[in-house]
Coordinates of all heavy atoms in Angstrom, one line a residue:
Chain A
L909 N 100.3 46.8 183.9 CA 99.3 45.9 183.5 C 98.6 46.3 182.2 O 97.8 45.6 181.6 CB 98.1 45.9 184.6 CG 98.4 45.0 185.8 CD1 97.3 45.2 186.8 CD2 98.5 43.6 185.4
R910 N 99.0 47.6 181.7 CA 98.3 48.1 180.6 C 98.2 47.2 179.4 O 97.2 46.9 178.8 CB 98.9 49.5 180.2 CG 98.1 50.2 179.1 CD 98.5 51.7 179.0 NE 98.0 52.4 180.1 CZ 98.8 53.1 180.9 NH1 100.1 53.1 180.8 NH2 98.3 53.8 181.9
D911 N 99.4 46.7 179.0 CA 99.5 45.8 177.8 C 98.7 44.5 178.0 O 98.0 44.1 177.1 CB 100.9 45.5 177.5 CG 101.6 46.6 176.8 OD1 100.9 47.6 176.5 OD2 102.9 46.5 176.6
A912 N 98.7 44.0 179.2 CA 98.0 42.8 179.5 C 96.5 43.0 179.4 O 95.7 42.2 178.9 CB 98.3 42.2 180.9
V913 N 96.0 44.2 179.9 CA 94.6 44.5 179.8 C 94.2 44.6 178.3 O 93.1 44.0 177.9 CB 94.3 45.9 180.5 CG1 92.9 46.4 180.1 CG2 94.4 45.7 182.0
K914 N 94.9 45.3 177.5 CA 94.6 45.5 176.1 C 94.6 44.1 175.4 O 93.7 43.8 174.7 CB 95.6 46.4 175.4 CG 95.1 46.9 174.1 CD 96.2 47.6 173.3 CE 97.1 46.5 172.6 NZ 98.0 47.1 171.7
T915 N 95.6 43.3 175.7 CA 95.7 42.0 175.0 C 94.5 41.1 175.5 O 93.9 40.5 174.6 CB 97.0 41.3 175.4 OG1 98.1 42.2 175.0 CG2 97.2 40.0 174.7
C916 N 94.2 41.2 176.7 CA 93.0 40.4 177.2 C 91.8 40.8 176.4 O 91.0 39.9 175.9 CB 92.9 40.7 178.7 SG 91.4 40.0 179.4
I917 N 91.5 42.0 176.3 CA 90.2 42.5 175.6 C 90.3 42.2 174.1 O 89.4 41.6 173.6 CB 90.0 44.0 175.8 CG1 89.8 44.3 177.3 CG2 88.8 44.5 175.0 CD1 88.7 43.5 178.0
H918 N 91.4 42.5 173.5 CA 91.5 42.3 172.1 C 91.5 40.8 171.7 O 90.9 40.4 170.7 CB 92.8 43.0 171.5 CG 92.6 44.5 171.4 ND1 93.6 45.3 170.8 CD2 91.6 45.3 171.6 CE1 93.2 46.5 170.8 NE2 91.9 46.6 171.3
D919 N 92.1 40.0 172.5 CA 92.0 38.5 172.3 C 90.6 38.0 172.3 O 90.2 37.2 171.5 CB 92.9 37.7 173.3 CG 94.4 37.8 173.0 OD1 94.8 38.4 172.0 OD2 95.2 37.3 173.8
L920 N 89.9 38.5 173.3 CA 88.5 38.1 173.5 C 87.7 38.5 172.2 O 86.9 37.8 171.7 CB 87.9 38.7 174.7 CG 87.9 37.8 176.0 CD1 87.4 38.7 177.2 CD2 87.0 36.6 175.8
V921 N 87.9 39.8 171.9 CA 87.1 40.3 170.7 C 87.4 39.5 169.5 O 86.6 39.2 168.7 CB 87.5 41.8 170.5 CG1 87.1 42.3 169.2 CG2 86.9 42.7 171.6
D922 N 88.7 39.2 169.3 CA 89.1 38.5 168.1 C 88.5 37.1 168.1 O 88.1 36.6 167.1 CB 90.7 38.4 168.1 CG 91.2 37.8 166.8 OD1 90.8 38.2 165.7 OD2 91.9 36.8 166.9
G923 N 88.4 36.5 169.3 CA 87.8 35.2 169.4 C 86.3 35.2 169.0 O 85.8 34.1 168.5
F924 N 85.6 36.3 169.2 CA 84.3 36.4 168.7 C 84.1 37.0 167.3 O 83.1 37.4 166.9 CB 83.4 37.3 169.7 CG 83.2 36.7 171.0 CD1 83.8 37.1 172.2 CD2 82.3 35.6 171.1 CE1 83.6 36.5 173.4 CE2 82.0 35.0 172.4 CZ 82.7 35.5 173.5
D925 N 85.2 37.0 166.6 CA 85.2 37.5 165.2 C 84.8 39.0 165.2 O 84.1 39.4 164.3 CB 84.3 36.7 164.3 CG 85.0 36.5 162.9 OD1 86.1 36.9 162.7 OD2 84.3 35.9 162.1
G926 N 85.3 39.7 166.2 CA 84.9 41.2 166.2 C 86.1 42.0 165.6 O 86.9 41.5 164.9
S927 N 86.0 43.3 165.9 CA 87.0 44.2 165.4 C 87.7 44.9 166.5 O 87.0 45.4 167.4 CB 86.3 45.2 164.4 OG 87.3 46.2 164.1
V928 N 89.0 45.0 166.4 CA 89.8 45.8 167.4 C 89.9 47.3 167.1 O 90.4 48.1 167.8 CB 91.2 45.2 167.7 CG1 91.1 43.8 168.2 CG2 92.0 45.3 166.4
S929 N 89.3 47.7 166.0 CA 89.1 49.1 165.7 C 87.8 49.3 164.9 O 87.8 49.1 163.7 CB 90.3 49.7 164.9 OG 90.1 51.1 164.9
A930 N 86.8 49.6 165.7 CA 85.5 49.7 165.0 C 85.3 51.0 164.2 O 84.9 50.9 163.1 CB 84.4 49.7 166.1
E931 N 85.7 52.1 164.8 CA 85.4 53.4 164.1 C 86.6 54.3 164.1 O 86.6 55.3 163.4 CB 84.2 54.1 164.7 CG 84.3 54.4 166.1 CD 83.1 55.2 166.7 OE1 82.1 55.4 165.9 OE2 83.1 55.6 167.8
H932 N 87.7 54.1 164.9 CA 88.8 55.0 165.0 C 89.9 54.8 163.9 O 90.7 55.6 163.6 CB 89.4 55.0 166.3 CG 88.5 55.5 167.4 ND1 88.7 55.2 168.8 CD2 87.3 56.1 167.4 CE1 87.7 55.7 169.5 NE2 86.8 56.3 168.6
G933 N 90.0 53.5 163.4 CA 91.0 53.2 162.4 C 92.3 52.6 163.0 O 92.3 52.3 164.2
I934 N 93.3 52.5 162.2 CA 94.6 51.9 162.6 C 95.6 52.9 163.0 O 96.2 52.8 164.0 CB 95.1 51.0 161.5 CG1 94.1 49.8 161.1 CG2 96.5 50.4 161.8 CD1 93.8 48.9 162.3
G935 N 95.7 53.9 162.2 CA 96.7 54.9 162.4 C 98.1 54.4 162.7 O 98.5 53.4 162.0
R936 N 98.7 54.9 163.8 CA 100.0 54.3 164.2 C 99.8 53.5 165.5 O 100.6 52.5 165.8 CB 101.0 55.4 164.4 CG 101.5 56.0 163.0 CD 102.3 57.1 163.1 NE 102.8 57.5 161.7 CZ 102.0 58.3 160.9 NH1 100.9 58.8 161.3 NH2 102.5 58.5 159.7
L937 N 98.7 53.7 166.2 CA 98.4 53.1 167.4 C 98.2 51.6 167.3 O 98.6 50.7 168.1 CB 97.2 53.7 168.1 CG 96.7 53.1 169.5 CD1 97.8 53.4 170.5 CD2 95.4 53.7 169.9
K938 N 97.5 51.2 166.2 CA 97.1 49.8 166.1 C 97.8 49.0 164.9 O 97.2 48.0 164.5 CB 95.6 49.8 166.0 CG 94.9 50.3 167.2 CD 93.4 50.1 167.2 CE 92.8 50.6 168.5 NZ 91.3 50.6 168.5
V939 N 98.9 49.5 164.5 CA 99.6 48.8 163.4 C 99.9 47.4 163.8 O 99.7 46.4 163.1 CB 100.9 49.5 163.0 CG1 101.8 48.7 162.1 CG2 100.6 50.9 162.4
K940 N 100.4 47.2 165.0 CA 100.8 45.9 165.6 C 99.5 45.1 165.8 O 99.5 43.9 165.5 CB 101.5 46.0 166.8 CG 102.3 44.7 167.2 CD 103.4 45.0 168.2 CE 104.0 43.6 168.7 NZ 103.0 42.7 169.3
D941 N 98.4 45.7 166.2 CA 97.1 44.9 166.4 C 96.7 44.4 165.0 O 96.2 43.2 165.0 CB 96.1 45.8 167.0 CG 96.3 46.2 168.4 OD1 96.6 45.2 169.2 OD2 96.2 47.4 168.8
L942 N 96.8 45.2 164.0 CA 96.4 44.8 162.7 C 97.2 43.6 162.3 O 96.7 42.6 161.7 CB 96.5 45.9 161.7 CG 96.1 45.6 160.2 CD1 94.6 45.2 160.2 CD2 96.3 46.8 159.3
E943 N 98.5 43.6 162.5 CA 99.4 42.5 162.2 C 99.0 41.2 163.0 O 99.0 40.1 162.5 CB 100.8 42.8 162.5 CG 101.4 43.9 161.5 CD 102.7 44.5 161.9 OE1 103.2 44.2 163.0 OE2 103.3 45.2 161.1
T944 N 98.6 41.5 164.3 CA 98.3 40.3 165.2 C 96.9 39.8 164.8 O 96.8 38.5 164.7 CB 98.2 40.8 166.6 OG1 99.5 41.4 166.9 CG2 98.0 39.6 167.6
Y945 N 95.9 40.6 164.6 CA 94.5 40.1 164.5 C 94.0 40.2 163.1 O 93.0 39.5 162.8 CB 93.6 41.0 165.4 CG 94.0 40.9 166.9 CD1 94.6 42.0 167.5 CD2 93.8 39.7 167.6 CE1 95.0 41.9 168.9 CE2 94.2 39.7 169.0 CZ 94.7 40.8 169.6 OH 95.1 40.7 170.9
G946 N 94.7 40.9 162.2 CA 94.1 41.0 160.8 C 94.3 39.7 160.1 O 95.2 38.9 160.4
D947 N 93.4 39.5 159.1 CA 93.5 38.3 158.3 C 94.9 38.3 157.5 O 95.1 39.3 156.8 CB 92.4 38.3 157.3 CG 92.4 37.1 156.4 OD1 92.2 35.9 156.9 OD2 92.7 37.2 155.2
P948 N 95.7 37.3 157.6 CA 97.1 37.4 156.9 C 96.9 37.6 155.4 O 97.8 38.3 154.8 CB 97.7 36.1 157.3 CG 96.7 35.2 157.9 CD 95.6 36.1 158.3
V949 N 95.9 37.0 154.8 CA 95.7 37.2 153.3 C 95.3 38.6 153.0 O 95.8 39.2 152.0 CB 94.7 36.1 152.8 CG1 94.4 36.4 151.4 CG2 95.2 34.7 153.0
K950 N 94.5 39.2 153.9 CA 94.2 40.6 153.6 C 95.4 41.5 153.8 O 95.6 42.4 153.0 CB 93.1 41.0 154.7 CG 92.7 42.5 154.6 CD 91.7 42.9 155.6 CE 91.5 44.4 155.7 NZ 90.4 44.8 156.6
L951 N 96.2 41.2 154.8 CA 97.4 42.0 155.0 C 98.4 41.9 153.8 O 98.9 42.9 153.3 CB 98.2 41.5 156.2 CG 97.6 42.2 157.5 CD1 98.0 41.4 158.7 CD2 98.1 43.7 157.6
T952 N 98.5 40.7 153.2 CA 99.4 40.6 152.1 C 98.8 41.4 150.9 O 99.5 42.1 150.2 CB 99.5 39.1 151.7 OG1 100.0 38.3 152.8 CG2 100.4 38.8 150.5
A953 N 97.5 41.3 150.7 CA 96.8 42.0 149.6 C 97.0 43.6 149.9 O 97.2 44.3 148.9 CB 95.3 41.6 149.5
M954 N 96.9 44.0 151.1 CA 97.0 45.4 151.4 C 98.4 45.9 151.1 O 98.6 47.0 150.5 CB 96.7 45.6 152.9 CG 95.2 45.7 153.3 SD 95.0 45.8 155.1 CE 95.8 47.3 155.5
R955 N 99.4 45.1 151.4 CA 100.8 45.5 151.1 C 101.0 45.5 149.6 O 101.7 46.4 149.1 CB 101.8 44.5 151.8 CG 101.8 44.6 153.3 CD 102.9 43.9 153.9 NE 102.7 43.9 155.4 CZ 102.3 42.9 156.1 NH1 102.1 41.7 155.5 NH2 102.2 43.0 157.4
A956 N 100.4 44.6 148.9 CA 100.5 44.6 147.4 C 99.9 45.9 146.8 O 100.4 46.5 145.9 CB 99.9 43.4 146.8
I957 N 98.7 46.2 147.4 CA 98.0 47.4 146.9 C 98.8 48.7 147.2 O 99.0 49.6 146.4 CB 96.6 47.5 147.5 CG1 95.7 46.3 146.9 CG2 95.9 48.8 147.2 CD1 94.5 46.1 147.7
K958 N 99.3 48.7 148.4 CA 100.2 49.9 148.8 C 101.4 50.1 147.9 O 101.6 51.1 147.4 CB 100.6 49.7 150.3 CG 101.7 50.7 150.8 CD 101.1 52.1 151.1 CE 102.1 53.0 151.7 NZ 101.6 54.4 151.8
T959 N 102.0 48.9 147.6 CA 103.2 49.0 146.7 C 102.8 49.4 145.3 O 103.5 50.2 144.6 CB 103.9 47.6 146.7 OG1 104.3 47.3 148.0 CG2 105.2 47.7 145.9
A960 N 101.6 48.9 144.9 CA 101.2 49.3 143.5 C 100.8 50.7 143.4 O 101.1 51.4 142.4 CB 100.0 48.4 143.2
L961 N 100.2 51.3 144.4 CA 99.7 52.7 144.3 C 100.7 53.7 144.9 O 100.6 54.9 144.6 CB 98.3 52.8 145.0 CG 97.2 52.0 144.4 CD1 95.9 52.4 145.0 CD2 97.1 52.3 142.8
D962 N 101.6 53.3 145.8 CA 102.5 54.2 146.4 C 103.9 53.6 146.4 O 104.4 53.2 147.5 CB 102.1 54.6 147.8 CG 103.0 55.6 148.5 OD1 103.8 56.2 147.8 OD2 102.9 55.7 149.7
P963 N 104.5 53.3 145.3 CA 105.7 52.5 145.2 C 106.9 53.1 146.0 O 107.7 52.4 146.5 CB 106.0 52.4 143.7 CG 105.2 53.4 143.1 CD 104.0 53.7 143.9
L964 N 106.9 54.4 146.2 CA 108.0 55.1 146.9 C 107.7 55.1 148.4 O 108.5 55.5 149.2 CB 108.2 56.5 146.4 CG 108.5 56.6 144.9 CD1 108.6 58.1 144.5 CD2 109.8 55.9 144.6
G965 N 106.5 54.8 148.8 CA 106.1 54.8 150.2 C 106.1 56.2 150.8 O 106.5 56.3 152.0
I966 N 105.6 57.2 150.1 CA 105.7 58.5 150.6 C 104.4 59.0 151.2 O 104.4 60.0 151.9 CB 106.2 59.5 149.5 CG1 105.2 59.5 148.3 CG2 107.6 59.3 149.0 CD1 105.4 60.6 147.3
L967 N 103.3 58.2 151.1 CA 102.0 58.7 151.6 C 101.9 58.2 153.0 O 101.7 57.0 153.3 CB 100.9 58.1 150.7 CG 100.7 58.9 149.4 CD1 99.8 58.1 148.5 CD2 100.0 60.3 149.7
N968 N 101.9 59.1 154.0 CA 101.7 58.9 155.4 C 102.5 57.7 155.8 O 101.9 56.7 156.3 CB 100.2 58.7 155.7 CG 99.8 59.2 157.1 OD1 100.7 59.6 157.8 ND2 98.6 59.0 157.5
P969 N 103.8 57.8 155.7 CA 104.6 56.6 156.0 C 104.4 56.1 157.5 O 104.4 56.9 158.4 CB 106.0 57.1 155.8 CG 105.9 58.3 155.0 CD 104.6 58.9 155.4
G970 N 104.2 54.8 157.6 CA 104.1 54.2 158.9 C 102.7 54.1 159.5 O 102.5 53.5 160.5
A971 N 101.8 54.8 158.8 CA 100.4 54.6 159.2 C 99.8 53.4 158.5 O 100.2 53.1 157.4 CB 99.5 55.9 158.8

Side-chain angles (χ1 to χ4, degrees):
Chain A
L909 282 177
R910 183 166 292 120
D911 282 352
V913 166
K914 194 192 82 169
T915 303
C916 170
I917 297 303
H918 283 182
D919 282 357
L920 265 173
V921 166
D922 187 53
F924 288 109
D925 221 4
S927 170
V928 298
S929 187
E931 60 176 4
H932 296 164
I934 299 298
R936 290 173 175 84
L937 179 66
K938 295 187 179 174
V939 170
K940 196 161 174 301
D941 288 313
L942 181 60
E943 290 169 351
T944 305
Y945 301 107
D947 180 69
V949 171
K950 174 177 169 175
L951 275 161
T952 303
M954 282 174 59
R955 290 191 189 104
I957 293 166
K958 171 72 174 174
T959 304
L961 296 186
D962 179 20
L964 304 174
I966 57 173
L967 280 167
N968 210 1

